[in-house]
Amino acid sequence: MIEGRLRGDDLPTRQRVARSILDNGPSTAADLAERLDLTPAAVRRHLDLLVDDGQVEVREPRAHGQRGRGRPAKVFALTESGRDHFDQAYDDLAAQALRFLAETGGDEAVREFSRRRVAFIEERFHRVSAADPSLGPAEVLARVFTDEGYAAAVRDLGPINGKPMGEQLCQQHCPVSHVAHEFPQLCEAETEAISRVLGRHVQRLATIAHGDGVCTTSIPNVSSTTNEKEQVTP
């Protein structure tokens, strides 16, 4: 383990680096240095140790728009082992319980459990919205999920040809990702609950449970969704 290779005063910094990746998603060394007020050299040293320990992996950055000159900076993402250090202590027990439920009650029993597990979304959505009217619906969802340990944020997709395209709900952490890999009903129930509270169709684009760095849900703009429905209505 890394702990044996680091001085006592280094360990908290290493944890801060890993936590920052958890909270903010795959990050470059420069992003981490700025975020944590560390020197780039210090961040790279801790990243090297995290990579050696199997908690962090290096990924090629995704291209967004036209690529500029020079090689894009590498990004660092948590591995499953790295996520194990954050809130994953009961994965084996939860998986065993769901396997038993599937064997004794079938798929519908697993789905019903999944729906009950995400009941907090609908229970807290209107309460948070009423407490802070300045928040948009997606921002309310992000706060609800963050309070439950998902480290969620909202990304505005911006307009295309002057038409607003909507938002993305990005969850940098999933407390049940390992279990959801075996039981996707957990992710499906989550997506259905998001759709219900927003009153529109949403689409899950990526999940941590299936190896993506972030759980991403596309929330289309209301007007564009309405227009699409009008176009297909006979």
Side-chain angles (χ1 to χ4, degrees):
M1 296 293 292
I2 282 181
E3 283 84 345
R5 295 160 56 187
L6 293 175
R7 300 192 314 267
D9 58 347
D10 280 342
L11 183 56
T13 303
R14 196 254 321 168
Q15 291 174 337
R16 287 175 61 212
V17 171
R19 182 75 206 192
S20 184
I21 297 173
L22 175 72
D23 290 342
N24 298 280
S27 307
T28 66
D31 290 336
L32 290 162
E34 181 177 358
R35 210 180 286 146
L36 300 173
D37 195 23
L38 298 170
T39 65
V43 167
R44 282 192 292 269
R45 179 168 65 91
H46 289 287
L47 286 171
D48 287 343
L49 290 168
L50 286 164
V51 169
D52 289 345
D53 197 50
Q55 295 187 46
V56 165
E57 63 184 4
V58 183
R59 295 182 180 177
E60 293 292 335
R62 293 183 179 179
H64 295 285
Q66 188 174 0
R67 180 175 292 181
R69 294 183 178 181
R71 295 184 61 184
K74 300 284 187 181
V75 296
F76 297 86
L78 285 183
T79 62
E80 287 193 9
S81 175
R83 291 183 183 278
D84 280 341
H85 288 69
F86 299 96
D87 308 325
Q88 301 285 353
Y90 299 103
D91 278 351
D92 289 343
L93 179 61
Q96 290 176 23
L98 281 174
R99 289 184 199 120
F100 176 80
L101 188 61
E103 291 171 6
T104 56
D107 183 67
E108 184 53 37
V110 177
R111 292 187 182 280
E112 179 59 26
F113 170 83
S114 301
R115 287 190 286 266
R116 292 193 184 190
R117 198 199 73 80
V118 299
F120 71 88
I121 298 173
E122 293 173 87
E123 289 171 358
R124 298 195 57 230
F125 180 84
H126 299 291
R127 192 188 319 157
V128 172
S129 182
D132 192 345
S134 67
L135 296 176
E139 293 172 317
V140 172
L141 273 174
R143 180 170 295 183
V144 169
F145 274 105
T146 295
D147 289 345
E148 292 291 324
Y150 286 79
V154 177
R155 178 185 172 215
D156 190 339
L157 296 179
I160 295 181
N161 296 327
K163 180 180 178 181
M165 298 307 296
E167 301 164 303
Q168 286 183 347
L169 177 67
C170 302
Q171 298 157 229
Q172 309 291 353
H173 179 51
C174 175
V176 297
S177 60
H178 288 194
V179 181
H181 179 75
E182 183 176 349
F183 295 96
Q185 297 95 326
L186 294 168
C187 296
E188 293 165 5
E190 206 174 273
T191 305
E192 291 167 2
I194 291 171
S195 181
R196 282 195 300 272
V197 297
L198 294 179
R200 75 190 83 161
H201 173 74
V202 300
Q203 183 178 7
R204 184 61 63 91
L205 303 178
T207 62
I208 294 171
H210 289 87
D212 299 295
V214 179
C215 291
T216 307
T217 304
S218 175
I219 303 172
N221 180 265
V222 176
S223 60
S224 63
T225 303
T226 302
N227 291 338
E228 289 174 4
K229 289 181 178 179
E230 291 174 350
Q231 291 174 8
V232 299
T233 300

